[in-house]
Amino acid sequence: MIILITGASHTGKTLLAQQMLDKYRFPYLSIDHLKMGLIRSNNTDLTPEDDDLLTEYLWPIVREMIKTAIENKQNLIVEGCYVPFDWRKDFGEEYLSSIRFICLAMTEEYIDIHFEDIKKHGSDIEARLHDACTPDGLKKDNRKIAEGFREAGEEVFLINEEYDLRELLNKKN
């Protein structure tokens, strides 16, 4: 089983992945860690701010890692924002049946009401050294993610009130 977690910034992707790691004891791959390893080792000229280019660069690597894990009958949690909206086109049914997809996004109303809490919890699992998020930036990112994945036919877990990511732990695909 592959659990593929994506979504907008600050939605709790890393926290959910950590909770799933604790519950299922599946290995966990952070696409952000892969990104920074490739950037810091000078294997790319891309920077952490090159989001769209990073998706194009990282997704083929992540996609093939997912395929390898499925072929080897291994479980894996993959988490990060560098998943293209049309990710399913890269997998045949023999792979798709082994992938549980979760996408997280927040509503603008949720961001308006809870911005200070969102920012406060931004480093719950990972230390964000330079967290320059703003309400407008979060709204733009969440809108783009929610609209893009919905247009691609994906279900988006929309955060619009107090929520507990643990409900996703028990949700069936």
Side-chain angles (χ1 to χ4, degrees):
M1 167 67 67
I2 304 298
I3 302 172
L4 179 59
I5 304 169
T6 194
S9 178
H10 289 76
T11 53
K13 298 180 300 293
T14 306
L15 177 60
L16 178 60
Q18 183 67 47
Q19 290 174 341
M20 288 187 162
L21 168 70
D22 293 342
K23 178 176 180 170
Y24 298 120
R25 303 286 186 224
F26 291 0
Y28 161 50
L29 169 69
S30 165
I31 302 173
D32 280 341
H33 291 170
L34 177 61
K35 168 191 78 175
M36 291 310 298
L38 291 165
I39 289 171
R40 287 178 161 187
S41 65
N42 296 315
N43 279 288
T44 181
D45 292 328
L46 297 173
T47 70
E49 288 76 37
D50 294 324
D51 283 341
D52 291 336
L53 294 173
L54 280 164
T55 298
E56 291 174 26
Y57 181 70
L58 294 169
W59 179 246
I61 299 166
V62 172
R63 174 191 70 215
E64 296 309 315
M65 292 173 76
I66 290 170
K67 287 179 181 178
T68 300
I70 292 170
E71 290 161 358
N72 290 336
K73 300 190 183 335
Q74 294 172 304
N75 298 315
L76 181 63
I77 300 165
V78 179
E79 174 271 323
C81 60
Y82 303 105
V83 176
F85 299 134
D86 62 350
W87 68 273
R88 287 185 188 268
K89 73 172 177 40
D90 293 328
F91 298 96
E93 186 50 44
E94 70 275 19
Y95 295 105
L96 289 171
S97 62
S98 296
I99 301 172
R100 178 177 173 200
F101 178 76
I102 299 170
C103 179
L104 305 174
M106 296 178 279
T107 65
E108 292 188 11
E109 295 79 16
Y110 184 86
I111 294 167
D112 284 337
I113 295 168
H114 298 283
F115 178 73
E116 290 305 319
D117 288 330
I118 293 166
K119 190 136 170 103
K120 181 175 73 174
H121 290 289
S123 292
D124 282 354
I125 297 295
E126 58 188 339
R128 295 176 186 262
L129 300 178
H130 306 288
D131 191 2
C133 80
T134 65
D136 288 341
L138 281 180
K139 288 176 187 178
K140 179 181 176 185
D141 184 41
N142 280 268
R143 191 171 38 250
K144 175 183 174 185
I145 294 298
E147 289 173 2
F149 279 109
R150 281 190 174 142
E151 286 175 15
E154 299 293 346
E155 181 179 348
V156 175
F157 181 81
L158 202 56
I159 300 163
N160 60 3
E161 56 188 47
E162 290 299 322
Y163 70 102
D164 186 343
L165 289 175
R166 287 176 288 194
E167 68 186 80
L168 286 173
L169 289 173
N170 301 316
K171 186 177 189 278
K172 299 291 181 200
N173 219 15

